[in-house]
Amino acid sequence: MARLVMKFGGTSVADLDRIRNVARHVKREVDAGHEVAVVVSAMAGQTNKLVDFCRQASPLHDAREYDAVVASGEQVTSGLLAIVLQDMGVNARSWQGWQVPIKTDENHGAARIKEIDGSFLIERISQGQVAVLAGFQGLAPDNRISTLGRGGSDTSAVAIAAAIKADRCDIYTDVDGVYTTDPRIVPKAKRLDRVSFEEMLEMASLGAKVLQVRSVEMAMVHGVRTFVRSSFDDPDAPQVGVGDLPPGTLICDEDELVEQQVVTGIAFSKDEAQISIRDVADKPGVAHSVFGPMADSNINVDMIVQNISPDGATTDITFTVPDADYDRAMKVLNDNREQIGFQNIEGARDVVKVSVIGIGMRSHAGIAADCFRGLASKGINIRAITTSEIKISVLIDSAYTELAVRTLHSLYGLDG
């Protein structure tokens, strides 16, 4: 018998038929003797609809009332799933984030979980009751409902799994696991049986959409074994995967990896924009004069390249920002032009970041050289480069995205 948290996203609970399918997945685990807590998102499209209502009511709406409105989507699905489970003979009860309570900070609309007392849930599930929990929401210090930002139900599920000391947190989604890259671009992409927390964190932050970044961070901090699997598999089909696991991908500590590949996967992100400022005086403090105002405006800067002129008097600085922040970043830089002292500013939005990820890179030389050689052989120019212990990222023209991903996927032997 195990203690499980099962999380179902919006596409998995999009209508009553799919909610009934989710209930069959839950009943299967209950019948197997497991203690079960379930976390659900709102029905697909409902949160967007609720957000639009708030914007139409007032462009400058109160964030606390915004949370009261958008949190209602999860209240509906948690209640409906509990009703369906009860109709199937399963002892189930729905609970909202404030009832647990899931305590968050005061940042309404994008709150962070501060504390969950798992004793209430442990008592319920140990008595054989399935706790159906509304994801995405909690209780702020002002005693009002708070929401965790988009994708927050993943974070809710992992946090609850940590609080109740679950053996595993199963994230049911519309894909059947984590792949070496996007199968829509590389049909030969393989599903990974296991991937380390660090690798998954890099993949999530670099463009892979399977899991929300904050949920992976929380899983890594608390050591929550997280399992990605498909909610569209037949609930009654044999649960046969690798080892003692059903089909899917286990995200776990590096120690659990039986075999460490040098490169685990190729990720890419189209949400990138490049900015270059030219002929800046090369003197102490110039980097702060550029990136200080960006930080003050809450604009994240990623790849940074600085070039020195032949005479050493001026420098060029190139960096990337999220595409959604591009216009704001350009305005911030132009507003601070006199303080920074640059002559020209250039920008490009037709760029993409492609990343090679793998914990095996720590102990293998030449991975970066192979990447650069492979891209050069296809005539792909690199605009910027960043590296870490387990990652190499290159910025290239977006027109070469598919070619670059396919080339690197084959180069590192990831084709199935």
Side-chain angles (χ1 to χ4, degrees):
M1 184 179 73
R3 181 173 291 168
L4 302 177
V5 171
M6 306 171 71
K7 184 267 175 180
F8 296 90
T11 53
S12 302
V13 293
D15 53 40
L16 274 173
D17 284 341
R18 290 190 178 178
I19 289 174
R20 289 190 179 98
N21 183 65
V22 164
R24 291 170 63 205
H25 280 287
V26 175
K27 188 175 187 300
R28 181 193 63 230
E29 303 297 353
V30 172
D31 290 346
H34 300 313
E35 295 177 351
V36 178
V38 185
V39 177
V40 291
S41 299
M43 292 179 176
Q46 285 302 305
T47 301
N48 287 338
K49 186 183 296 184
L50 295 168
V51 169
D52 286 342
F53 282 153
C54 292
R55 289 173 177 163
Q56 291 171 30
S58 171
L60 300 175
H61 49 257
D62 187 318
R64 291 163 295 188
E65 301 307 335
Y66 167 92
D67 277 355
V69 173
V70 300
S72 65
E74 283 73 17
Q75 180 169 327
V76 171
T77 45
S78 60
L80 287 174
L81 179 55
I83 289 171
V84 172
L85 284 168
Q86 290 168 5
D87 191 55
M88 298 170 101
V90 176
N91 180 9
R93 181 64 66 202
S94 69
W95 304 97
Q96 308 311 302
W98 60 268
Q99 291 176 296
V100 176
I102 299 171
K103 296 183 179 179
T104 73
D105 62 18
E106 69 285 351
N107 189 18
H108 283 277
R112 287 188 172 269
I113 295 173
K114 306 294 286 184
E115 177 189 358
I116 302 177
D117 183 348
S119 57
F120 167 74
L121 293 176
I122 290 171
E123 179 184 355
R124 288 283 176 166
I125 63 177
S126 63
Q127 293 172 355
Q129 185 178 84
V130 174
V132 184
L133 298 141
F136 177 61
Q137 58 174 252
L139 183 68
D142 58 7
N143 210 35
R144 294 191 61 87
I145 293 172
S146 56
T147 62
L148 308 181
R150 303 314 292 262
S153 290
D154 282 354
T155 306
S156 298
V158 173
I160 287 164
I164 67 173
K165 298 179 172 57
D167 297 284
R168 204 174 68 223
C169 178
D170 289 357
I171 305 289
Y172 286 79
T173 181
D174 53 1
V175 295
D176 62 352
V178 180
Y179 280 72
T180 48
T181 195
D182 190 337
R184 292 170 297 183
I185 287 184
V186 183
K188 295 179 179 179
K190 297 180 294 186
R191 188 179 68 200
L192 297 162
D193 296 323
R194 295 174 187 247
V195 62
S196 73
F197 290 125
E198 286 182 273
E199 289 169 322
M200 191 66 236
L201 187 58
E202 291 284 10
M203 293 171 81
S205 63
L206 294 169
K209 305 297 185 184
V210 178
L211 284 177
Q212 198 243 17
V213 175
R214 279 167 60 191
S215 69
V216 183
E217 288 175 344
M218 185 166 289
M220 184 165 64
V221 168
H222 295 284
V224 176
R225 297 168 82 245
T226 305
F227 193 69
V228 178
R229 57 190 303 189
S230 174
S231 63
F232 299 118
D233 289 344
D234 183 355
D236 301 320
Q239 301 295 298
V240 180
V242 175
D244 61 343
L245 296 167
T249 301
L250 179 67
I251 300 152
C252 56
D253 192 87
E254 188 176 332
D255 296 340
E256 283 197 61
L257 302 184
V258 178
E259 180 182 354
Q260 293 183 3
Q261 298 286 337
V262 177
V263 172
T264 299
I266 312 296
F268 63 94
S269 171
K270 296 181 178 179
D271 180 31
E272 305 291 330
Q274 176 183 326
I275 297 175
S276 298
I277 51 177
R278 308 292 187 189
D279 299 323
V280 186
D282 186 22
K283 60 184 180 182
V286 66
H288 180 262
S289 70
V290 173
F291 299 116
M294 303 285 281
D296 292 341
S297 299
N298 293 314
I299 298 172
N300 290 323
V301 174
D302 185 17
M303 313 174 94
I304 302 174
V305 177
Q306 183 172 357
N307 299 314
I308 309 300
S309 65
D311 61 6
T314 60
T315 183
D316 294 342
I317 300 177
T318 297
F319 54 93
T320 61
V321 297
D323 184 65
D325 289 334
Y326 174 79
D327 291 331
R328 202 156 54 92
M330 292 291 276
K331 183 179 186 306
V332 168
L333 292 168
N334 279 309
D335 287 348
N336 289 271
R337 184 168 191 152
E338 186 174 332
Q339 175 188 341
I340 299 169
F342 60 85
Q343 296 300 310
N344 297 297
I345 185 168
E346 300 169 1
R349 305 182 84 158
D350 55 343
V351 294
V352 66
K353 180 169 61 179
V354 178
S355 303
V356 177
I357 301 157
I359 55 175
M361 292 166 59
R362 289 178 179 146
S363 54
H364 287 76
I367 305 301
D370 290 342
C371 171
F372 305 149
R373 183 170 58 250
L375 295 177
S377 71
K378 301 296 184 181
I380 301 172
N381 185 50
I382 298 173
R383 290 170 170 256
I385 302 165
T386 57
T387 64
S388 72
E389 271 194 319
I390 65 168
K391 173 205 72 181
I392 302 159
S393 293
V394 295
L395 191 71
I396 62 173
D397 293 343
S398 59
Y400 294 100
T401 303
E402 294 190 12
L403 178 60
V405 171
R406 288 173 180 157
T407 298
L408 295 175
H409 198 267
S410 296
L411 177 68
Y412 294 112
L414 299 176
D415 289 351

